[in-house]
Amino acid sequence: MLLRHTSKEITERSALTINPAKTCQPIGAMYAALGIHGCLPHSHGSQGCCAYHRSALTRHYKEPVMAATSSFTEGASVFGGQANLVQAIDNIFTIYEPEVIAVHTTCLSETIGDDIPQIARKAEADGKIPEGKYVIHVNTPSYVGTHVTGFANMTKAMVDYFAESNGQKIDQINIIPGYVEPSDMEEVRRIAEMMGVRVVMFPDTSKVLNRPQTGKYEMFPSGGVTVEALKTTGASMATIGLGQLASGPAARALDTKCGVSCEILDLPIGFKATDRFVDTLRKTLGITVPESLNEERGQLLDIVTDMHQYFYGKKVALAGDPDHLIALTEFLVSIDMWPIHIVTGTSGKKFESRIREITSNSPYPINIKAPGDLFLLHQWIKNEPVDLLMGNTYLKYIARDEDIPLVRMGFPILDRIGHSYFPTVGYRGGMRLLEKILDAILDRQDRDAPEESFELVM
Amino acid sequence: MKALNENISLETEQIDPQEVKQELLKKYPTKVARKRAKQIIVNRVSEEQELPEIGANTRTIPGIITQRGCTYAGCKGVIMGPTRDIVNITHGPIGCGFYSWLTRRNQTRPDGPEDDNFMTYCFSTDMQEENIVFGGEKKLRAAIQEAYDLFKPKAISIFSTCPVGLIGDDVHSVAREMKEKLGINVFGFSCEGYKGVSQSAGHHIANNGIFKNVVGLNDNVKEGKYRINLLGEYNIGGDAFEIDRILDECEISVVSTFSGNSTYDQFANAHTADLNTIMCHRSINYVAEMMETKFGIPWIKINFIGAQATAKSLRKIANYFENDELKQRVEDVIAREMPEVIKVRDDVRARCEGKVAMLFVGGSRAHHYQELFREIGMKTISAGYEFAHRDDYEGRKVLPSIKVDADSRNIEELEIHPDPERFRPRKTDEQLKKLQDEGFRFKDYDGMMREMSDRSLVIDDISQYESEQLIEIYKPDIFCAGIKEKFAIQKKGIPMKQLHSYDSGGPYAGFKGAINFYREIDRMVNSQIWKHIKAPWQESPELAAKYACD
Ligand code: SF4
Ligand code: SF4
């Protein structure tokens, strides 16, 4: 038993987190910043945080993840990091020549209270920021919120720094895709484009964190939303934000700053949430949904009706980020599966009430904890076993100890590939999810079947 | 094919390293270039001349994309991470604990299903804003209590992260208090990430902590005629298992490993060994020094990376014990293990000879792995460390001339005296002298540069930009570094081997490890896949319309 010390008996814990279901703000900010074309993320603090964030993102995407750091030592921690940051800005523009430096703070520089805009102004006054280049920033103390908050904050910073409006509207809409994979961002764009919509999507990590092998390395690959495009977001017809937590702040900021009306939807996972996304596009722009999309939707439904017997009544335990979990729970419930244990590391009353609402028809009592950790999830499972686990790679320890199949989803996935290339959003993504769920359940059935009931046709 | 390889190495011979150095520095602002110039050294090895001096263990320049991590990573991740039965609580916001959770591939093998193993768990106080504002000691105290109630471990240790140092939580007094209250060993590490200039500071803090709080607490002398400690071995990918297997066959017993597959009791018992052997010089040399002063255990530098190195190290250990039976057994083991190693080595060598490697890793590995490459005929033309000090490059001879700067000064130096009860000289002065006269070397390390060829480029704390330039210029056949570097290198069509955590491979130590490594490098440098980078139409883009039916 790998988690041999996890007991069935659940005790209240007030101080100790065991096996977290979240991580810290800067990594989310770093990921979002990589979705700006020509942007080098910069971590203002000691270099360890930056090394950790780069490593974690690298392991998840299996792609180069570059970011610079202010490399604080004790002196900077006492006297403040201004000198470090000004020097860093100079070095970065000289050596790596990005279009944008996106600075985020770490716990250290937050606690010291470094004023990043003031430091950036100093760098500008000192002539360290070349003409036409930008330094943007966001505050990301990790003792507030999680990696999702960091993502949301950096996405909002894109609005704060770049969105412009002069009263004129452009025939385009903004889509904020949420804290999802590059493949998901691609899929969201594809659906919008199928409907003939002109889209500015930000951040956009597709073609940044799922690059082909070409024999060449480019620090700033072709993908990412450009600064030019970001500037126009203030003149768009509307904004659709996907995921309350990850996209809400930026969508609302655009409304406040430039009067672009916004609609914030769930992540389009499964057919109901995708329906709402497509329908919102349709209504916002007064367009008809193309037949090709109806066909994809029909295929997704077809899988469910064909294989319903294997989904029906299966109990599932979930761990992940709120935006994901809400959409995923709704999807699972819609195909008659029962998520019964759900944890997220991010706190939120709304999260819990949303999940309660979605699962209100469940025949089982539902355990929800926000914030909770994987230790608690495991304890729940010991008390009430499930047929399937869904969540990040760290769940594999529970999966093995309790002999439960696992479908990997969320962040981080360290031991499998696919997430950067194949979406889980949209109807197509739904098909992939169902395939993965079925593979897990049916492989398990094949493995466990007595010889006489081992079946060729399933 | 072979001729081609020879050409490649011939080409690299013709590259002038001084020019390369200038090329690397060209793009930097003047001040940066001046500093980097001290850390990029063209190696010079000759009998008469001293090695050139390298700038090492100095601060990373802000804005430079560096390989380095932080003090906390060195302390919790590297040194304390691979000990299975201590509950390691990270005191800080969630991230630091999360990232150091299972990411180093240290393996461990508890004796039985009932034995403690906390390595799969991540414990954190997950500090929230109010803890930063009002202090986190209360939460830490409660967390220790909860950990104790749930797990009843032998020991609990606490790791301070950056904000903890800043707000001034006194983790040591909390530790003392809880130790008193719970009756188990509780100790803290002030390993805030900003201390020191790299992970190395964290190694030092961790080692000091273990030495102060654990070593010497258990006086039971383990059975075994030849008892050693293995220092600086972390059981990445199962290295320690292979080393243990070999030592077992030689009937040399390992009292404790610092700190791969290790346990609290092993640390507590370490002072009963009769010899300390150091694998990774940088991560632990001072522990050996302290154990010698306090307990009388001599130390030697050994290396189990590479088959020849393993054989040499075994012989060195046997010589130390001056026992003919042991010497014979070691020879028998080497004789038994080598044929298979040689068979694979020769096979692989036929395909790898003349190829060129670059290594930029850790605090010893950039040195040790050159031996393995040499065994299959590959040459290391450039190497450097992520967090070494000058002695790791130039050898311990330079110790007296290393200047202590402010960043080193804030790492505690323990004052050590002989332990009144436990000090026991393992050899008499005559015995020591005799051994030394025969050429046996104690407390010695030559460093990496002496063993690298003349004109190779030695680079400390290499930056992303420099790595890219080096690859453009030298086009090595393989590049070794860590995960952060991996994919940028590979996108250039150069295979990249991680030597911190071995990607998915290992063990690479000892004889079986050598075989694994030969095969792994063969797979990587001779893979067909690199030939497919260009599609046929990219290879010859000229258009020639031609219908299939004509
Ligand atoms: S110090 Fe803060 S920002 Fe850095 S890794 Fe830890 S939690 Fe994340
Ligand atoms: S070389 Fe590296 S990875 Fe290494 S043990 Fe020494 S410190 Fe660690």
Side-chain angles (χ1 to χ4, degrees):
Chain A
M1 298 289 270
L2 286 159
L3 297 167
R4 55 182 70 189
H5 304 284
T6 305
S7 60
K8 203 169 164 178
E9 189 202 334
I10 298 171
T11 50
E12 196 56 45
R13 276 177 284 134
S14 68
L16 185 67
T17 293
I18 313 173
N19 299 353
K22 64 168 177 182
T23 184
C24 63
Q25 279 214 48
I27 196 170
M30 192 182 276
Y31 177 55
L34 289 166
I36 303 176
H37 179 72
C39 177
L40 189 73
H42 181 84
S43 165
H44 185 56
S46 46
Q47 70 214 12
C49 307
C50 184
Y52 272 145
H53 305 146
R54 288 179 61 208
S55 299
L57 290 174
T58 303
R59 288 190 179 108
H60 177 83
Y61 293 104
K62 316 246 179 283
E63 286 290 322
V65 173
M66 291 303 156
T69 156
S70 295
S71 287
F72 279 30
T73 51
E74 203 142 50
S77 311
V78 177
F79 302 114
Q82 169 162 319
N84 290 51
L85 186 52
V86 171
Q87 196 193 356
I89 289 172
D90 186 22
N91 284 333
I92 291 169
F93 280 127
T94 314
I95 303 165
Y96 309 109
E97 304 173 33
E99 298 300 315
V100 184
I101 299 175
V103 182
H104 59 261
T105 53
T106 68
C107 298
L108 179 58
S109 54
E110 268 304 313
T111 311
I112 299 170
D114 274 352
D115 180 349
I116 308 293
Q118 177 267 317
I119 300 176
R121 277 195 301 276
K122 165 103 173 71
E124 180 145 39
D126 292 357
K128 309 287 191 205
I129 305 178
E131 196 56 39
K133 307 242 172 172
Y134 302 89
V135 176
I136 67 171
H137 99 287
V138 65
N139 291 85
T140 46
S142 303
Y143 39 83
V144 181
T146 68
H147 57 291
V148 186
T149 330
F151 181 93
N153 287 342
M154 180 55 88
T155 308
K156 177 172 174 292
M158 295 175 200
V159 173
D160 294 343
Y161 273 93
F162 294 121
E164 289 172 357
S165 68
N166 57 5
Q168 304 228 297
K169 287 282 171 198
I170 310 175
D171 187 16
Q172 67 180 17
I173 62 156
N174 306 319
I175 296 185
I176 311 178
Y179 198 153
V180 292
E181 296 289 328
S183 50
D184 293 325
M185 297 189 186
E186 231 152 43
E187 181 64 7
V188 164
R189 177 189 295 284
R190 189 186 69 93
I191 293 174
E193 282 172 356
M194 277 171 94
M195 297 183 65
V197 181
R198 245 186 79 188
V199 170
V200 180
M201 186 161 70
F202 68 95
D204 182 2
T205 58
S206 63
K207 300 195 174 62
V208 178
L209 288 166
N210 53 3
R211 297 289 299 156
Q213 172 60 270
T214 57
K216 275 207 282 303
Y217 167 64
E218 293 160 294
M219 187 178 276
F220 305 111
S222 64
V225 62
T226 60
V227 169
E228 295 324 305
L230 277 173
K231 286 184 175 168
T232 69
T233 54
S236 295
M237 311 295 285
T239 302
I240 298 180
L242 301 174
Q244 272 295 341
L245 217 71
S247 302
R252 284 190 291 272
L254 255 177
D255 193 352
T256 317
K257 185 177 179 187
C258 304
V260 184
S261 67
C262 69
E263 188 110 31
I264 301 162
L265 307 173
D266 291 325
L267 284 179
I269 294 173
F271 58 86
K272 284 167 86 175
T274 308
D275 286 353
R276 292 195 294 271
F277 171 55
V278 171
D279 209 34
T280 305
L281 284 172
R282 179 181 72 96
K283 286 183 183 151
T284 311
L285 293 135
I287 41 180
T288 346
V289 176
E291 201 40 46
S292 48
L293 206 51
N294 287 331
E295 232 165 70
E296 286 178 15
R297 183 178 188 279
Q299 287 173 325
L300 173 65
L301 278 176
D302 194 53
I303 295 177
V304 183
T305 49
D306 289 350
M307 303 303 267
H308 184 254
Q309 62 273 32
Y310 296 108
F311 299 124
Y312 180 78
K314 291 281 189 303
K315 287 185 282 184
V316 194
L318 305 175
D321 299 333
D323 291 346
H324 271 106
L325 290 177
I326 288 169
L328 184 60
T329 302
E330 191 191 40
F331 187 28
L332 295 175
V333 167
S334 73
I335 59 173
D336 293 309
M337 292 178 81
W338 293 117
I340 60 166
H341 309 307
I342 301 163
V343 296
T344 178
T346 308
S347 56
K349 285 244 155 50
K350 274 203 207 123
F351 171 77
E352 181 162 350
S353 60
R354 256 321 281 290
I355 298 275
R356 293 248 174 252
E357 199 185 298
I358 297 168
T359 55
S360 59
N361 287 329
S362 172
Y364 302 101
I366 315 283
N367 288 316
I368 306 168
K369 191 88 198 275
D373 55 29
L374 301 183
F375 184 76
L376 177 67
L377 183 77
H378 192 178
Q379 289 183 310
W380 283 339
I381 292 169
K382 281 186 181 290
N383 285 287
E384 177 67 36
V386 292
D387 304 296
L388 185 70
L389 282 170
M390 293 181 80
N392 70 25
T393 288
Y394 283 97
L395 290 182
K396 78 192 271 185
Y397 289 79
I398 302 177
R400 181 178 154 121
D401 274 6
E402 306 299 332
D403 194 17
I404 304 168
L406 165 65
V407 170
R408 285 166 180 76
M409 198 176 171
F411 179 84
I413 296 173
L414 306 169
D415 59 341
R416 296 291 190 274
I417 54 141
H419 45 278
S420 340
Y421 305 106
F422 309 114
T424 54
V425 301
Y427 302 120
R428 289 289 205 71
M431 288 186 233
R432 171 163 177 263
L433 262 179
L434 292 186
E435 185 199 13
K436 283 173 95 69
I437 292 172
L438 276 171
D439 280 352
I441 291 174
L442 296 182
D443 279 349
R444 174 59 186 268
Q445 184 166 326
D446 276 341
R447 192 196 77 186
D448 292 347
E451 288 189 2
E452 66 279 14
S453 18
F454 186 74
E455 311 254 22
L456 178 69
V457 184
M458 291 176 96
Chain B
M1 193 69 217
K2 191 146 185 261
L4 193 77
N5 290 341
E6 272 162 10
N7 282 340
I8 292 170
S9 73
L10 213 71
E11 263 170 44
T12 62
E13 299 289 330
Q14 282 160 3
I15 298 172
D16 177 1
Q18 278 300 349
E19 274 172 32
V20 176
K21 177 172 173 174
Q22 293 320 315
E23 186 62 35
L24 297 185
L25 297 176
K26 216 166 66 188
K27 196 154 191 202
Y28 289 132
T30 330
K31 258 171 74 184
V32 177
R34 208 178 303 134
K35 178 159 189 234
R36 289 302 295 156
K38 296 189 188 127
Q39 292 173 278
I40 302 175
I41 297 298
V42 177
N43 198 26
R44 190 180 62 212
V45 233
S46 69
E47 286 304 317
E48 319 82 68
Q49 284 175 315
E50 291 290 304
L51 287 167
E53 180 178 328
I54 189 165
N57 194 35
T58 56
R59 295 179 182 181
T60 303
I61 301 158
I64 297 290
I65 300 180
T66 168
Q67 292 188 304
R68 283 175 171 177
C70 67
T71 306
Y72 165 84
C75 182
K76 198 270 179 177
V78 178
I79 306 291
M80 295 306 292
T83 302
R84 66 174 166 267
D85 57 357
I86 299 178
V87 166
N88 289 325
I89 302 178
T90 300
H91 184 37
I94 199 65
C96 320
F98 180 84
Y99 303 116
S100 55
W101 179 21
L102 290 169
T103 43
R104 269 184 61 84
R105 299 196 64 237
N106 312 103
Q107 301 188 0
T108 199
R109 193 187 284 148
D111 295 333
E114 299 301 314
D115 287 289
D116 286 352
N117 180 13
F118 301 112
M119 277 170 60
T120 49
Y121 293 86
C122 164
F123 303 97
S124 169
T125 54
D126 186 11
M127 286 172 100
Q128 298 298 303
E129 193 155 28
E130 72 261 23
N131 310 126
I132 300 291
V133 178
F134 301 111
E137 290 180 18
K138 205 170 126 216
K139 193 170 194 188
L140 175 61
R141 221 173 275 128
I144 295 170
Q145 183 69 52
E146 287 171 7
Y148 177 77
D149 293 341
L150 280 165
F151 303 105
K152 300 277 172 340
K154 286 185 180 141
I156 295 176
S157 63
I158 308 149
F159 302 84
S160 301
T161 58
C162 294
V164 168
L166 219 57
I167 63 172
D169 275 1
D170 186 348
V171 299
H172 305 286
S173 83
V174 174
R176 272 193 302 276
E177 190 186 311
M178 294 311 284
K179 179 176 177 173
E180 187 90 347
K181 181 170 177 202
L182 304 174
I184 60 164
N185 203 351
V186 182
F187 43 94
F189 298 96
S190 292
C191 55
E192 295 85 354
Y194 55 75
K195 286 207 170 153
V197 301
S198 71
Q199 294 94 308
S200 164
H203 297 175
H204 206 143
I205 291 166
N207 287 318
N208 281 353
I210 286 294
F211 190 79
K212 266 195 313 200
N213 294 300
V214 190
V215 173
L217 292 181
N218 176 348
D219 290 325
N220 290 335
V221 179
K222 232 173 109 175
E223 266 181 56
K225 273 195 269 185
Y226 316 108
R227 295 193 315 271
I228 68 167
N229 293 323
L230 202 56
L231 307 185
E233 190 346 270
Y234 301 101
N235 205 20
I236 311 282
D239 278 347
F241 297 146
E242 166 66 359
I243 298 172
D244 280 350
R245 179 188 72 85
I246 296 168
L247 292 175
D248 258 3
E249 294 197 5
C250 298
E251 290 183 24
I252 297 166
S253 31
V254 177
V255 176
S256 72
T257 307
F258 285 61
S259 29
N261 191 34
S262 56
T263 63
Y264 178 80
D265 291 331
Q266 281 188 16
F267 290 151
N269 197 235
H271 64 294
T272 63
D274 291 321
L275 175 68
N276 275 331
T277 61
I278 294 198
M279 282 272 284
C280 178
H281 177 256
R282 174 41 44 210
S283 67
I284 206 157
N285 59 69
Y286 32 84
V287 171
E289 287 285 322
M290 294 191 293
M291 287 219 245
E292 174 150 28
T293 313
K294 189 165 179 181
F295 305 112
I297 311 173
W299 71 265
I300 57 173
K301 174 81 181 73
I302 51 104
N303 173 20
F304 285 122
I305 303 294
Q308 294 303 335
T310 302
K312 207 164 118 194
S313 296
L314 290 175
R315 289 188 178 116
K316 196 164 171 186
I317 296 169
N319 280 342
Y320 167 83
F321 284 106
E322 299 177 273
N323 177 291
D324 289 336
E325 197 194 340
L326 176 62
K327 285 182 189 167
Q328 189 52 50
R329 189 164 306 119
V330 161
E331 290 310 324
D332 292 346
V333 169
I334 296 171
R336 202 160 62 226
E337 298 281 335
M338 271 310 201
E340 183 61 21
V341 176
I342 290 167
K343 197 174 108 205
V344 179
R345 184 198 68 193
D346 289 348
D347 174 44
V348 168
R349 191 172 184 138
R351 287 178 298 276
C352 293
E353 182 96 55
K355 290 195 190 287
V356 162
M358 291 184 176
L359 290 90
F360 294 93
V361 237
S364 264
R365 296 188 174 219
H367 176 191
H368 291 161
Y369 275 86
Q370 296 186 28
E371 180 116 6
L372 269 168
F373 280 115
R374 220 173 285 135
E375 287 172 349
I376 49 175
M378 289 178 63
K379 187 173 173 193
T380 304
I381 48 168
S382 186
Y385 295 130
E386 194 177 313
F387 48 79
H389 300 201
R390 272 184 61 206
D391 47 320
D392 301 296
Y393 289 104
E394 302 168 50
R396 290 178 68 86
K397 268 212 305 232
V398 300
L399 279 179
S401 65
I402 294 180
K403 289 187 224 62
V404 183
D405 57 17
D407 293 312
S408 310
R409 212 167 289 129
N410 65 35
I411 313 300
E412 182 189 25
E413 279 297 333
L414 302 182
E415 214 189 291
I416 304 297
H417 303 286
D419 185 300
E421 284 137 51
R422 297 184 181 84
F423 183 87
R424 177 169 61 82
R426 302 319 202 251
K427 299 253 176 206
T428 62
D429 287 345
E430 296 85 74
Q431 281 173 318
L432 287 176
K433 181 157 188 317
K434 181 172 154 272
L435 274 170
Q436 272 161 328
D437 288 344
E438 288 163 13
F440 194 92
R441 295 163 69 198
F442 289 99
K443 340 172 27 143
D444 202 11
Y445 180 44
D446 273 343
M448 179 176 83
M449 284 160 83
R450 191 161 300 286
E451 286 187 26
M452 284 190 72
S453 56
D454 222 46
R455 288 165 38 95
S456 50
L457 267 180
V458 181
I459 307 180
D460 183 60
D461 184 21
I462 195 172
S463 73
Q464 170 63 27
Y465 172 75
E466 289 156 8
S467 314
E468 282 179 43
Q469 295 303 308
L470 271 188
I471 287 175
E472 293 295 327
I473 297 167
Y474 283 103
K475 306 217 170 12
D477 297 282
I478 193 163
F479 194 96
C480 303
I483 184 70
K484 299 192 295 299
E485 293 76 43
K486 182 172 174 99
F487 298 102
I489 307 290
Q490 266 181 203
K491 281 280 193 283
K492 284 176 174 282
I494 309 284
M496 206 315 309
K497 178 73 191 162
Q498 281 188 67
L499 286 185
H500 293 283
S501 71
Y502 297 170
D503 301 287
S504 56
Y508 297 139
F511 300 112
K512 297 218 163 106
I515 292 176
N516 287 341
F517 193 77
Y518 302 152
R519 292 199 168 122
E520 175 75 347
I521 297 307
D522 183 23
R523 172 185 77 76
M524 293 182 80
V525 302
N526 293 309
S527 168
Q528 298 301 310
I529 200 64
W530 305 110
K531 298 185 193 138
H532 298 303
I533 287 177
K534 291 251 176 301
W537 53 90
Q538 291 167 319
E539 301 261 27
S540 45
E542 59 288 346
L543 277 179
K546 189 167 186 289
Y547 285 103
C549 57
D550 71 13

